[in-house]
Amino acid sequence: MKFLSKHILLLTSIIAVSLTSSCTKDFEKLNTDPVKVTNVAPGTLLAPAQFDGMWIITRRAHRLNNELMQYTVETGALNDFARYEFKENEFDAIWSGLYVKANDMNEMYKIAKQRNDVNNMGAALVMKTWFVSNLTDMFGDIPYSEALRGREDLDYPKYDTQQSIYTSLLADLKTANDLFNETKPFESTDLIYAGDAAKWKKFANSMRLRLLVRVSNRSEMNAPAQIAEMFTNPTKYPLIGSNDDEAMMKYTGVKPFINLFFEMAAAEFSGSRRMGKPLMDIMNTTVDGRRFRYATKNTPGAYVGIPSGYNEQETIAFADNGGLKTSTLATTLKEDDYPFPILTWSEVNFLLAEAALKGWITADAQSYYNKGVEASWKQWKCTWDGTAGTTYLARSTVRFTGTTATMERLMSQKYIAMFFSGFESWYDYRRTGYPVLPIGPATGNNGILPKRFEYPLITKATNNASYTAAAARIGGDNLSTKVWWQN
């Protein structure tokens, strides 16, 4: 808290500089140096990237991911995302925004490297990886090697293959692990770990674990062997090992460092949305203690969701529920100091449970599964100690042992845990097919839950030749085309 208070005014000015310098007339000209200053301390560039990047991802996940993954269902005419219908420019904002932040981190890395500032070099690599991995997981092949090259004036960057992008990102995370050094200075306005190099190292390796699991269906990436190498050498490759280690944006509630949902109109945040039936059904069946953190109760005091993918009139009727109403997002999610996750201890445990279940590591999958559930409950500040946790894990609908130790059960619990964790549940669904989500009769895209986002209008208009080549290579720029790592 003392660290954050000390830098709060500095953050305001940094954000203003970053936003001003990042707004170019032509967003597709991604390589235009987004940070117009090179004499600043590299650590001062970290906070605005964290703050702005987190908001870009969290805001768009609330708008898109939560509808696709049926965490929520929009009942009004505001959007048709639950029916897989998108405006042509829907994806422009997240494309441009994440590229700007990735560019900022690329510049931060270069400035830090000039000063041999290893900890800020490592932090820049981790944050850049977070932004770029989201971009490629949303769209597939994207500009990368020619898109972050500063002053070289490459106006029309080529689209790199997703395989080559992942190879580069995974190498960067391995480099970051080697760079972080607790014995050297880490001078930064760091809104996640307050300059704790040991925790940044765990973050880097946990991000690498996440991405390795994501590409584990691709034999050419040798992901299981890399995961085993990390798991068997925790001294060299430490992972997030507690809720205290996890990468969270823990807002102070003091402007500008606040949860920006606080300033969003109630109608836009939750007013016309209802909780999705799949999420509420799973949580009701398991008598989940996290429900009150996620949702409100309806008039009789029950947690009730509505089905997704129906026409507007049917959806409104489902929401009314014969006058009994249905659940909406919990109001606490909108509080000015409510924290949102980037990468949690719960997720790390579920990743290791999957690795153990598939035989990539020699470990007890049930133990990691149980720890994943426990970590999620504690992340959401739910009572676990005493009999609450043991009772929950012993339920027939939760227990992970014998014939119930399946990917479907693991991913169903991970689906609950990844609520408001960016687009991670959508990426997991596309990789594993879990949880099984019912597809409503009014959905477009031939009733196929989107496998990727279509390239933004802005890149089609300003970098058409590169776009056309990429679209042909991936098999067509549409919502049904699989990205490289999907089954």
Side-chain angles (χ1 to χ4, degrees):
M1 184 66 71
K2 182 178 179 182
F3 174 88
L4 294 172
S5 299
K6 179 180 178 182
H7 293 289
I8 202 75
L9 292 177
L10 180 59
L11 171 60
T12 309
S13 61
I14 293 171
I15 290 174
V17 170
S18 178
L19 291 175
T20 301
S21 63
S22 297
C23 294
T24 61
K25 184 177 180 181
D26 181 358
F27 274 109
E28 184 60 32
K29 195 171 181 178
L30 300 169
N31 50 326
T32 300
D33 184 1
V35 183
K36 298 295 184 182
V37 288
T38 57
N39 294 322
V40 299
T44 61
L45 304 176
L46 184 58
Q50 292 171 332
F51 187 88
D52 295 343
M54 183 67 180
W55 177 239
I56 290 166
I57 291 171
T58 303
R59 171 72 181 93
R60 291 289 151 176
H62 171 257
R63 180 176 171 85
L64 299 169
N65 177 82
N66 291 3
E67 293 287 296
L68 292 175
M69 292 305 297
Q70 301 183 32
Y71 286 131
T72 59
V73 180
E74 172 68 52
T75 64
L78 184 63
N79 66 59
D80 291 315
F81 305 148
R83 291 183 280 273
Y84 314 153
E85 296 178 13
F86 307 93
K87 294 179 181 177
E88 193 174 19
N89 65 345
E90 176 61 42
F91 310 117
D92 284 19
I94 197 164
W95 174 276
S96 298
L98 289 182
Y99 265 117
V100 166
K101 295 299 110 183
N103 251 317
D104 288 349
M105 291 299 89
N106 201 53
E107 293 302 312
M108 174 180 160
Y109 175 83
K110 290 190 287 188
I111 297 169
K113 187 176 182 181
Q114 290 172 356
R115 303 179 180 206
N116 195 31
D117 184 348
V118 293
N119 286 318
N120 276 307
M121 288 169 66
L125 289 176
V126 174
M127 294 304 296
K128 184 186 75 170
T129 295
W130 184 40
F131 301 141
V132 174
S133 65
N134 270 278
L135 279 166
T136 189
D137 290 340
M138 289 174 191
F139 298 100
D141 294 4
I142 58 170
Y144 181 61
S145 60
E146 293 183 355
L148 305 177
R149 286 170 59 172
R151 300 179 179 84
E152 293 181 39
D153 205 27
L154 292 165
D155 292 347
Y156 307 106
K158 69 176 183 180
Y159 283 56
D160 296 86
T161 66
Q162 191 172 41
Q163 180 180 348
S164 68
I165 294 167
Y166 256 87
T167 300
S168 177
L169 296 180
L170 289 167
D172 282 348
L173 290 173
K174 197 168 185 178
T175 297
N177 172 74
D178 295 338
L179 285 168
F180 288 119
N181 189 329
E182 294 177 72
T183 68
K184 294 191 176 182
F186 194 170
E187 297 175 353
S188 66
T189 49
D190 176 10
L191 305 176
I192 299 174
Y193 290 126
D196 188 326
K199 289 186 177 181
W200 269 100
K201 192 171 209 175
K202 294 176 182 179
F203 182 22
N205 291 316
S206 299
M207 181 74 72
R208 186 175 167 218
L209 175 64
R210 170 195 276 179
L211 299 189
L212 283 169
V213 171
R214 187 153 301 148
V215 300
S216 59
N217 292 327
R218 302 298 311 197
S219 59
E220 63 268 33
M221 297 302 289
N222 201 26
Q226 292 189 64
I227 292 169
E229 178 191 18
M230 294 174 67
F231 181 75
T232 56
N233 195 348
T235 301
K236 183 175 181 179
Y237 301 112
L239 298 169
I240 289 172
S242 71
N243 289 104
D244 289 337
D245 289 342
E246 55 196 5
M248 298 281 288
M249 292 293 283
K250 298 175 182 176
Y251 302 106
T252 65
V254 179
K255 284 189 175 183
F257 193 43
I258 66 170
N259 169 16
L260 293 178
F261 284 130
F262 177 73
E263 297 183 331
M264 184 180 287
E268 186 180 1
F269 177 71
S270 185
S272 57
R273 288 182 174 87
R274 297 295 180 270
M275 299 305 293
K277 181 175 170 57
L279 177 65
M280 290 293 94
D281 283 356
I282 294 173
M283 298 184 86
N284 286 333
T285 301
T286 58
V287 196
D288 198 299
R290 292 166 286 186
R291 286 175 294 180
F292 80 105
R293 294 294 188 191
Y294 291 17
T296 63
K297 294 180 179 180
N298 74 346
T299 303
Y303 293 100
V304 180
I306 68 173
S308 176
Y310 287 78
N311 66 41
E312 189 176 339
Q313 292 71 32
E314 291 170 321
T315 301
I316 291 172
F318 287 133
D320 183 63
N321 192 25
L324 299 179
K325 307 303 180 184
T326 41
S327 299
T328 63
L329 288 166
T331 56
T332 50
L333 295 166
K334 201 174 177 294
E335 291 178 354
D336 58 2
D337 62 347
Y338 205 84
F340 286 111
I342 300 172
L343 207 161
T344 63
W345 185 40
S346 176
E347 182 182 354
V348 168
N349 280 305
F350 283 123
L351 292 168
L352 292 174
E354 180 177 346
L357 185 66
K358 293 179 174 178
W360 303 337
I361 60 175
T362 302
D364 181 17
Q366 181 186 18
S367 176
Y368 281 112
Y369 170 88
N370 289 350
K371 286 195 290 186
V373 176
E374 177 183 354
S376 177
W377 278 51
K378 290 181 175 178
Q379 174 198 325
W380 289 96
K381 295 180 171 55
C382 298
T383 301
W384 181 264
D385 298 330
T387 61
T390 54
T391 299
Y392 183 76
L393 292 174
R395 295 191 194 284
S396 61
T397 49
V398 179
R399 191 168 55 245
F400 193 76
T401 184
T403 58
T404 64
T406 65
M407 273 294 291
E408 181 171 7
R409 178 152 295 189
L410 191 159
M411 297 309 297
S412 291
Q413 276 295 327
K414 190 178 179 186
Y415 169 70
I416 299 172
M418 301 308 286
F419 182 67
F420 267 89
S421 291
F423 289 81
E424 295 307 312
S425 61
W426 181 47
Y427 304 153
D428 276 338
Y429 175 86
R430 291 153 57 199
R431 179 176 64 87
T432 69
Y434 297 122
V436 176
L437 297 174
I439 307 299
T443 53
N445 198 41
N446 296 315
I448 300 170
L449 196 151
K451 300 181 183 299
R452 60 180 289 276
F453 291 150
E454 293 180 0
Y455 288 122
L457 179 63
I458 204 164
T459 193
K460 298 175 188 178
T462 60
N463 192 12
N464 188 261
S466 296
Y467 155 76
T468 301
R473 183 172 66 232
I474 66 173
D477 179 22
N478 58 68
L479 300 173
S480 299
T481 300
K482 294 180 180 180
V483 300
W484 160 79
W485 49 253
Q486 288 178 249
N487 279 330

